[in-house]
Amino acid sequence: MRTIRNRKRTAVLGAAATAVLALALTACGGDGGGTKAAGPADNSASADATVAAKDTAQDQGSTANDGAKTGGGSTEAVTSSTGTSKGGAAKTGGSTAGAAGGDTSDSYAYKHPCKSGDLSVRVYAREGSATQHVIEVNNTGRNSCGLSYFPRVSLGAANASDHSGDIIPLVPGGLGGAPAYPVKPKTAAIAVIDLNPGGGNGVTWVDELNVLADGDHMPNAEQLNFPLGPDVKVGTPKLGLYESTVADAVASMKQANSKS
């Protein structure tokens, strides 16, 4: 019996020695691919890998949702067009500060109009519609701020020297209530414009959508210009009020019946 036990002990020690040798060879002569031997000492590496996997998944989710409305409401896949300003205003807000420490109340927003430097403006075609575009105004600042009930919008030709003949869309009438549309940090105000609600023949010289996020407080020099592309027909366009979702903005647009 003692001989059998000694043989078992020798076999176990031999296996352990082989494992140690294999570990040493792996550590010294790695294949350059980052392979590591498993063991208790690698708990931190495993945790790092788990965190990296979570970060990657989050990044991929963020990329997949690019084009959806910030702040909830719409998950439509869209293509954003680039806006420029003839007056020197930037399309994307310059502030990247988070909401921590800011005032996010509506009452604060009513007394503090949004500044163009704290806004990011996008325009994109609404999926499922050949004539509707979404105007998305994101608050990138630390505090809530107030916008006019709807953006100031006009439709014209990019190369025109005189824009007095630009087309102004109809908007909902009988407005009242709160002094402004409040936008909290990291959320968006959404408006929808229908370039040709009737779907009939319209003018074809329009190739640009001009947007001023707050027509009540911002100077014309901060207006942004978004190209519409070729073959656009414009006929009695309608623009809705700022809303929190694309669906609500579409419903508001359908109520447009008066000139701004």
Side-chain angles (χ1 to χ4, degrees):
M1 294 295 294
R2 178 176 300 176
T3 301
I4 293 174
R5 289 177 181 174
N6 288 340
R7 287 177 178 175
K8 289 184 177 179
R9 183 179 180 188
T10 301
V12 170
L13 292 175
T18 301
V20 170
L21 178 59
L23 177 62
L25 290 174
T26 302
C28 297
D31 59 5
T35 303
K36 299 178 69 175
D42 278 338
N43 286 342
S44 61
S46 178
D48 289 343
T50 301
V51 171
K54 287 184 177 179
D55 289 344
T56 300
Q58 291 175 353
D59 289 343
Q60 290 174 344
S62 175
T63 301
N65 288 326
D66 186 38
K69 186 190 76 61
T70 304
S74 171
T75 55
E76 296 175 323
V78 292
T79 301
S80 175
S81 70
T82 302
T84 59
S85 171
K86 295 183 174 70
K91 171 182 178 286
T92 303
S95 174
T96 57
D103 193 322
T104 62
S105 66
D106 287 355
S107 58
Y108 183 90
Y110 295 150
K111 297 178 182 178
H112 296 81
C114 295
K115 298 179 180 179
S116 60
D118 288 330
L119 299 176
S120 176
V121 182
R122 297 196 316 144
V123 170
Y124 50 84
R126 179 178 172 243
E127 186 177 17
S129 173
T131 60
Q132 296 177 13
H133 284 69
V134 178
I135 300 170
E136 177 187 297
V137 181
N138 288 276
N139 180 358
T140 62
R142 297 178 63 249
N143 304 303
S144 290
C145 62
L147 292 169
S148 49
Y149 291 144
F150 52 87
R152 181 183 293 173
V153 174
S154 64
L155 297 151
N159 60 357
S161 57
D162 180 8
H163 288 275
S164 61
D166 285 4
I167 300 172
I168 307 298
L170 298 177
V171 296
L175 303 179
Y181 182 85
V183 191
K184 296 183 183 299
K186 308 305 176 185
T187 61
I190 299 290
V192 168
I193 183 171
D194 195 329
L195 304 181
N196 192 4
N201 292 328
V203 299
T204 57
W205 51 267
V206 172
D207 62 3
E208 187 175 66
L209 177 68
N210 308 305
V211 178
L212 187 60
D214 186 338
D216 291 343
H217 300 95
M218 294 180 178
N220 290 334
E222 295 181 358
Q223 175 179 276
L224 301 176
N225 315 107
F226 295 86
L228 291 174
D231 304 323
V232 173
K233 294 182 179 180
V234 177
T236 316
K238 291 185 176 183
L239 171 69
L241 306 179
Y242 279 129
E243 301 287 355
S244 60
T245 69
V246 172
D248 288 344
V250 170
S252 176
M253 173 272 295
K254 291 180 179 179
Q255 303 301 315
N257 56 7
S258 70
K259 296 182 178 180
S260 56

